Amino acid sequence: MTEHNLSKVPTVPGAQTSHLKLSRSQLTQSESSQSESLPSQTSQSRSTEREPLQSGALPSPSSRAQSLQSQSSQSRPPSQPPPTPPRPGHRPGLAMALSIAFAGLGQLYNRSYIKGAVLIVLELAFIVTFADFIGLGLWGIATLGTIPRLDHSIFLLVYGLLSLMMLAVAAVIYVINVKDARRQAERIAAGWRRPGLRETVKQSYLASVPYLLSVPGFVLLLFVVVFPLLFAVSLAFTNYDLYHSPPRNLVDWVGFDNFVRLVTVPIWNQSFVKVLSWTLVWTVVSTSLQIALGLFLAVLVNDKRIRFKRLIRTILILPWAIPNFVTILIFSALFNDQFGAINRALLGGLNLPSIPWLTDPLYTKVALIGIQVWLGFPFLFALFTGVLQSISHDAYEAADVDGGSRWQKFRYITLPHVLFATAPLLIIQYTANFNNFNIIYLFNGGGPAVRGQTAGGTDILISWVYNLTFTTNNYNMAATISLIIGVIVIAFAWLQFRRTRSFREEREQG
Amino acid sequence: MSPRAKSRLEVALIYLIVAAAAVVIFYPLAWAVGLSFNTGTSLYSSSMIPRQPTLEHYRWLFTSPESNYVTWYRNTLYVSTLSSALSIVFTSMTAYALSRFQFVGRRSGMYAFLLLQMFPVMMAMVAIYIFLNLIGLLNTLIGLILIYVGGQIPFNAWLVKGYLDTISRELDDAAKIDGAGPIRLFLRILLPLITPILAIVALTNFMLPIFDFILPSIILHDQSKYTLAVGLYHFVTERYSNNFTVFTAGAILIAVPIAVIYLFLQKYFISGLAAGGTKG
């Protein structure tokens, strides 16, 4: 089933290669024709370009593409009139000041009438539409309301965050507007002549394509990911809980009180330490086990003496293919203390005493890890199988000649290769298990309950946060803990990602 | 021991291990299937091999006026289809911009993407709840779709961008010289080349609403709005062991089609993930 070579995938599919060749020849042709016409235009525009073209040394493909792109966007019809003399009377500083005063004025001064008008209309529209909302929002986020029952603190907080986000977006657009006015004025002062209307429209269209493309996704991201994140972070600094819940009561900013409580108040710090340590044990043990089992089985089944590979692989991948909420609920019934099949049929059949799988924290933990390995190893098995097939036989043959043992071949050829190819995905496995809410919640609801603490015996941080939020309405503590989770996960992932090769490449490119 | 005998022993051992794994994999599944054919609804009185096999639970799901199963199935397919289609549009557009253009905020935007994809969604549930309430989309399937589509952008845009980066830029330059604008270049030339990775994005986003149960259980309140995961969960927890046989019947009807799709598509899934993930 996975007789599929991984190394083939990232390249352009074979059917396209002829097209590629064709276009390559076209490219060299047109490149040469373009370079002939280059000198005439570079003399006028080079001084005003932000990044001067270096047609001599082109270090990396991306900068090459970039320079090609800027070449094509500034190429003009050959019938263009000669450059006009510089106009020292045109003052970039004034243009900048004007556009700071009101977006678009600087553009008017530069005689970009359409652009200026559009910016002025945009700013007016923004002020007219959002001024009230932003005013209310800023007041709201500062005070969180002053009159109980009338002011709803949480809605005010939401308005405030939305206002701040709108202001941030507006500020970015404003800065771009000011920079644009200044650059344009500098160019005019240096003797730049405005191309025709059509050319201007075309150029600004080309320049705005990346923004147009990413704006829809960005806006959605802003509302669905960034805004909730800001909200959760701000809740960590309030006293929003059952006793301070609007509209009956107001919520207040309390600074770092929640963090201090988490560390000093016994009921919180005992729960926190216990939950955090179990979360870490859970993440490391269950993920490492599923990776080890996946790799072990992949190597075994990859042995060339084994037959029915397709069938075996299909069977081993099966747990991955079934929706995991279904399997977890089935396991939860299987492990049921009284009527689960494990106690009744398996242990009962062997005349062994029943094990309290769902009522003793230790056994619940063992069961959870077992189930997670069952659920998680097939994906890794499939992944490793794909990678194993892409390792070239040469290395193994060379090792055979040198008399390398099987363990040495695994240790020095297979393992480095596999880990190198899959490192980012393995990191994601760890972070995913750190936040694996489904299994904890569906199997036993984080239970069994433990006296003297606010978390169940098998709660991990994320399921604890869920209970604090939706069962006991301790929103502030839930947000505080969430913030800590977020910081831990991001710090871990960041450190690991920085070490992977692909990430370094991106840094060098960008 | 002769080398040949040793080799045979090894092969036998491997088969034994695989067989053991197969038993562990099949046991819970077979147990659930067996249960769904049992008469009666009690977990206690039912057994893996039913004494009198019956289809009554399957019939109940589709015919009983108390059962919302068909509605849940329809809701789930609706959410899955729309969120998968919209995800492709948003993700491919964002990934194209990130991969092919230099623009203000590109690098910081990408780092932000990387980090945002790490944040647990749970952290934001309350905010999402209030936000949807504010814009009147609480307890609607559209609201749910919106959250799914927005939430998947960071990871998938990263994945698709990684894949796009592997496609030679000479292709772009050639198309530009032939007079294709950026939009045409994208739609006509790049889009067909990235269909493998987009298929993965589509598949994961089609599957997510079927698997996920936290988000819909927070956003949706009416029985008639539930997706399958929430519906079945409530079904089995509210009247626990008394409903378990019916639950297994309902669960099998979800699990079988999905398992078939997965088993057919998994090699594309894995290879695309490896390609996008390791390059990205």
Side-chain angles (χ1 to χ4, degrees):
Chain A
M1 176 141 286
T2 41
E3 310 287 339
H4 192 81
N5 197 333
L6 270 176
S7 61
K8 279 179 193 162
V9 179
T11 55
V12 178
Q16 302 292 339
T17 41
S18 59
H19 182 68
L20 190 68
K21 272 176 204 155
L22 178 73
S23 42
R24 204 170 275 165
S25 65
Q26 283 173 348
L27 179 73
T28 42
Q29 261 180 23
S30 35
E31 228 175 1
S32 59
S33 69
Q34 201 182 25
S35 60
E36 280 165 24
S37 65
L38 261 179
S40 64
Q41 55 160 308
T42 40
S43 60
Q44 60 163 18
S45 64
R46 181 164 285 183
S47 60
T48 57
E49 270 302 310
R50 271 185 304 170
E51 294 164 294
L53 298 176
Q54 296 172 331
S55 40
L58 291 172
S60 76
S62 76
S63 68
R64 185 180 142 87
Q66 190 189 334
S67 60
L68 270 172
Q69 200 179 311
S70 49
Q71 270 177 25
S72 61
S73 67
Q74 51 163 263
S75 62
R76 276 162 212 133
S79 62
Q80 202 193 350
T84 49
R87 285 207 344 222
H90 199 85
R91 284 157 47 199
L94 181 60
M96 208 172 134
L98 278 171
S99 63
I100 290 175
F102 202 95
L105 288 185
Q107 279 75 6
L108 287 185
Y109 172 70
N110 290 340
R111 297 188 202 163
S112 305
Y113 297 115
I114 300 179
K115 202 196 273 176
V118 168
L119 282 169
I120 289 175
V121 169
L122 273 181
E123 182 170 350
L124 279 176
F126 182 82
I127 291 174
V128 170
T129 323
F130 295 124
D132 286 349
F133 182 82
I134 290 178
L136 175 69
L138 293 182
W139 171 80
I141 200 171
T143 62
L144 292 182
T146 47
I147 311 161
R149 284 168 206 273
L150 187 69
D151 296 337
H152 192 296
S153 303
I154 293 310
F155 284 155
L156 286 174
L157 175 61
V158 167
Y159 296 155
L161 290 172
L162 290 176
S163 307
L164 287 179
M165 274 164 49
M166 279 195 260
L167 283 177
V169 171
V172 168
I173 295 175
Y174 218 86
V175 168
I176 293 174
N177 141 61
V178 171
K179 276 189 175 169
D180 172 80
R182 184 198 167 96
R183 202 171 59 229
Q184 189 93 332
E186 275 171 354
R187 282 203 210 167
I188 293 174
W192 173 77
R193 192 192 188 89
R194 182 180 311 284
L197 181 63
R198 269 184 75 177
E199 189 62 21
T200 314
V201 169
K202 194 180 159 199
Q203 272 183 29
S204 50
Y205 164 70
L206 282 176
S208 60
V209 162
Y211 299 100
L212 291 177
L213 284 172
S214 41
V215 155
F218 180 71
V219 168
L220 207 57
L221 199 69
L222 217 55
F223 283 111
V224 174
V225 180
V226 177
F227 159 71
L229 216 62
L230 290 177
F231 180 79
V233 170
S234 22
L235 279 191
F237 300 95
T238 67
N239 58 359
Y240 184 24
D241 57 21
L242 198 58
Y243 308 104
H244 299 88
S245 61
R248 281 189 59 193
N249 305 93
L250 291 172
V251 176
D252 289 311
W253 293 111
V254 294
F256 284 89
D257 279 9
N258 295 325
F259 294 86
V260 173
R261 263 173 77 201
L262 192 62
V263 181
T264 53
V265 177
I267 194 167
W268 286 109
N269 71 25
Q270 278 168 16
S271 310
F272 184 70
V273 170
K274 273 200 173 156
V275 173
L276 182 66
S277 53
W278 161 237
T279 308
L280 293 177
V281 170
W282 153 258
T283 308
V284 172
V285 173
S286 66
T287 319
S288 304
L289 273 180
Q290 75 198 40
I291 291 174
L293 184 63
L295 184 60
F296 176 66
L297 288 172
V299 170
L300 285 190
V301 178
N302 203 41
D303 191 302
K304 53 182 180 290
R305 292 166 298 183
I306 297 294
R307 295 165 66 197
F308 313 112
K309 281 196 168 73
R310 274 180 72 106
L311 176 70
I312 293 175
R313 283 176 184 154
T314 310
I315 293 172
L316 292 182
I317 286 169
L318 204 58
W320 180 46
I322 297 170
N324 73 20
F325 81 94
V326 169
T327 22
I328 296 168
L329 287 173
I330 288 172
F331 269 115
S332 160
L334 264 177
F335 278 96
N336 189 299
D337 289 358
Q338 283 100 47
F339 20 71
I342 304 251
N343 273 347
R344 240 174 37 163
L346 229 57
L347 296 177
L350 297 170
N351 264 332
L352 293 169
S354 287
I355 291 176
W357 293 108
L358 301 182
T359 42
D360 184 304
L362 183 67
Y363 285 114
T364 315
K365 288 177 182 177
V366 171
L368 279 170
I369 290 178
I371 296 167
Q372 180 53 37
V373 172
W374 190 95
L375 289 168
F377 91 86
F379 170 74
L380 293 152
F381 168 79
L383 187 69
F384 290 140
T385 299
V387 177
L388 284 178
Q389 287 165 356
S390 73
I391 303 181
S392 103
H393 291 286
D394 300 353
Y396 292 108
E397 278 160 22
D400 283 337
V401 172
D402 290 345
S405 72
R406 197 175 290 167
W407 168 250
Q408 282 171 327
K409 279 191 273 183
F410 175 78
R411 174 69 187 76
Y412 295 106
I413 303 172
T414 315
L415 199 61
H417 191 104
V418 166
L419 290 185
F420 181 75
T422 57
L425 291 171
L426 299 186
I427 297 168
I428 290 175
Q429 291 290 309
Y430 279 95
T431 55
N433 261 342
F434 187 88
N435 284 323
N436 198 335
F437 172 81
N438 265 19
I439 184 167
I440 305 288
Y441 186 77
L442 292 178
F443 184 65
N444 200 15
V450 178
R451 287 179 61 178
Q453 64 179 49
T454 56
T458 58
D459 262 327
I460 56 173
L461 284 171
I462 190 95
S463 63
W464 187 31
V465 166
Y466 180 89
N467 281 331
L468 286 178
T469 308
F470 293 101
T471 319
T472 56
N473 293 359
N474 271 303
Y475 299 102
N476 54 345
M477 294 314 270
T480 308
I481 296 160
S482 297
L483 197 63
I484 294 170
I485 304 178
V487 169
I488 294 175
V489 173
I490 286 191
F492 171 75
W494 181 249
L495 285 175
Q496 293 302 314
F497 268 115
R498 276 166 63 101
R499 289 169 57 184
T500 62
R501 185 182 59 103
S502 49
F503 188 72
R504 235 175 266 149
E505 275 172 7
E506 180 57 56
R507 268 166 78 96
E508 280 155 19
Q509 260 179 39
Chain B
M1 202 191 294
S2 73
R4 191 145 166 241
K6 194 181 166 213
S7 167
R8 281 207 175 162
L9 193 69
E10 278 172 12
V11 173
L13 200 65
I14 294 177
Y15 280 124
L16 200 69
I17 292 171
V18 169
V23 169
V24 175
I25 287 172
F26 276 119
Y27 180 73
L29 302 179
W31 184 75
V33 173
L35 229 54
S36 75
F37 293 112
N38 264 284
T39 45
T41 55
S42 158
L43 185 61
Y44 191 76
S45 64
S46 43
S47 59
M48 190 161 153
I49 299 144
R51 274 162 229 116
Q52 294 161 307
T54 167
L55 286 174
E56 65 171 316
H57 305 309
Y58 292 92
R59 217 174 292 129
W60 187 90
L61 287 173
F62 288 97
T63 55
S64 164
E66 278 178 64
S67 154
N68 280 319
Y69 192 70
V70 179
T71 321
W72 297 342
Y73 225 113
R74 206 171 44 225
N75 288 346
T76 309
L77 285 182
Y78 174 77
V79 173
S80 287
T81 313
L82 261 181
S83 81
S84 145
L86 289 175
S87 298
I88 290 183
V89 174
F90 281 100
T91 306
S92 61
M93 271 164 48
T94 314
Y96 174 53
L98 285 178
S99 165
R100 288 302 201 262
F101 295 92
Q102 298 292 326
F103 56 95
V104 184
R106 188 192 85 108
R107 266 189 70 186
S108 41
M110 260 174 2
Y111 288 145
F113 268 30
L114 240 179
L115 294 183
L116 284 178
Q117 83 188 31
M118 301 292 153
F119 263 100
V121 196
M122 188 73 60
M123 190 169 167
M125 286 299 177
V126 183
I128 287 175
Y129 183 90
I130 293 178
F131 178 64
L132 286 181
N133 197 6
L134 205 65
I135 58 175
L137 287 179
L138 199 62
N139 197 19
T140 63
L141 296 177
I142 297 289
L144 185 63
I145 292 170
L146 211 65
I147 306 297
Y148 279 136
V149 174
Q152 59 85 39
I153 291 178
F155 181 72
N156 285 328
W158 184 255
L159 204 65
V160 177
K161 185 224 163 240
Y163 199 86
L164 262 172
D165 284 347
T166 64
I167 294 173
S168 164
R169 270 153 229 250
E170 292 180 357
L171 213 58
D172 300 27
D173 298 331
K176 270 182 207 146
I177 287 155
D178 288 348
I183 301 294
R184 186 134 59 118
L185 162 71
F186 177 58
L187 292 179
R188 289 288 180 75
I189 295 176
L190 294 178
L191 212 54
L193 293 179
I194 58 168
T195 31
I197 196 84
L198 288 185
I200 289 162
V201 173
L203 182 70
T204 43
N205 284 297
F206 190 85
M207 293 303 174
L208 184 66
I210 303 176
F211 285 29
D212 184 37
F213 108 102
I214 320 170
L215 192 62
S217 69
I218 288 168
I219 294 180
L220 309 171
H221 302 144
D222 294 343
Q223 284 250 337
S224 63
K225 296 270 175 58
Y226 281 174
T227 58
L228 277 170
V230 191
L232 284 177
Y233 174 73
H234 282 284
F235 188 72
V236 78
T237 45
E238 270 156 25
R239 284 176 288 167
Y240 189 60
S241 42
N242 293 329
N243 263 334
F244 205 80
T245 48
V246 187
F247 162 77
T248 51
I252 284 163
L253 289 183
I254 315 169
V256 169
I258 288 175
V260 169
I261 297 175
Y262 254 73
L263 293 179
F264 267 110
L265 297 180
Q266 51 96 1
K267 75 175 176 190
Y268 303 104
F269 193 84
I270 292 285
S271 56
L273 208 57
T278 52
K279 275 303 290 179

